[in-house]
Amino acid sequence: MNPKQVFPALFFLAACASVPERTKHPHYSFPEKSVYLELPSGLEESRPYKVLGWVKAKADWPTLDQDGYSQSLCRNYFNKASASLLKEAKKAGADAVIQVRSVVFTLDGRTEEHATPECSDDGAVGEVLVRGIAIKFKPLDESVARPR
């Protein structure tokens, strides 16, 4: 091989070696049975509950990918943060979390809450902050639940 053929081959190999691999992100599902964006729904819709207080959680992920920030990543990590929110609520004796919101801090110092996943990205790390209200369901009264 002459030097004119070696240089392009070395350049190609070096260029390929410097391309970062895409980060593989695990999939997180939203805990639908115990975390509610608004009020309890489904089987728990009319069940009385006691409010225990606010719970907060966050989830971070690397964003150095070539794709950068994407709404699907934000939603995925919103789901992870919502599961963490439920864990924190259960530590306090709660059964569920209601009125889950994304929390965003703006540059002018304001705080915004959104019912949809809203994330921030500083170029290296993406972050979603969530908060909700921990609740404890009251026991069902059997005399009310059973018709006579």
Side-chain angles (χ1 to χ4, degrees):
M1 254 186 186
N2 72 30
K4 288 184 180 182
Q5 293 174 331
V6 173
F7 180 72
L10 288 176
F11 178 76
F12 178 73
L13 289 174
C16 289
S18 66
V19 175
E21 284 188 36
R22 282 191 166 171
T23 304
K24 295 186 185 200
H25 298 276
H27 174 74
Y28 298 101
S29 297
F30 188 79
E32 295 175 0
K33 293 183 180 180
S34 300
V35 177
Y36 306 97
L37 295 177
E38 296 302 330
L39 297 176
S41 59
L43 297 174
E44 307 294 351
E45 185 172 7
S46 60
R47 189 169 175 190
Y49 57 85
K50 176 183 173 184
V51 173
L52 300 180
W54 290 101
V55 287
K56 301 175 187 176
K58 76 173 189 170
D60 297 329
W61 67 94
T63 58
L64 291 174
D65 295 354
Q66 291 178 345
D67 290 342
Y69 174 79
S70 81
Q71 190 61 27
S72 63
L73 273 179
C74 181
R75 180 173 305 284
N76 186 48
Y77 283 91
F78 176 83
N79 294 345
K80 178 183 181 184
S82 296
S84 296
L85 202 61
L86 181 59
K87 281 184 188 176
E88 289 300 314
K90 288 193 178 231
K91 286 180 188 177
D95 296 319
V97 180
I98 60 172
Q99 297 180 355
V100 174
R101 299 289 184 261
S102 292
V103 179
V104 177
F105 296 101
T106 62
L107 291 175
D108 61 3
R110 292 180 300 120
T111 302
E112 297 176 355
E113 292 186 12
H114 302 272
T116 58
E118 299 293 331
C119 304
S120 63
D121 180 3
D122 67 4
V125 176
E127 177 180 69
V128 60
L129 305 170
V130 294
R131 78 178 200 169
I133 301 171
I135 62 169
K136 176 106 177 129
F137 288 111
K138 293 181 178 177
L140 292 174
D141 185 11
E142 290 187 23
S143 63
V144 175
R146 291 185 187 173
R148 292 192 168 159

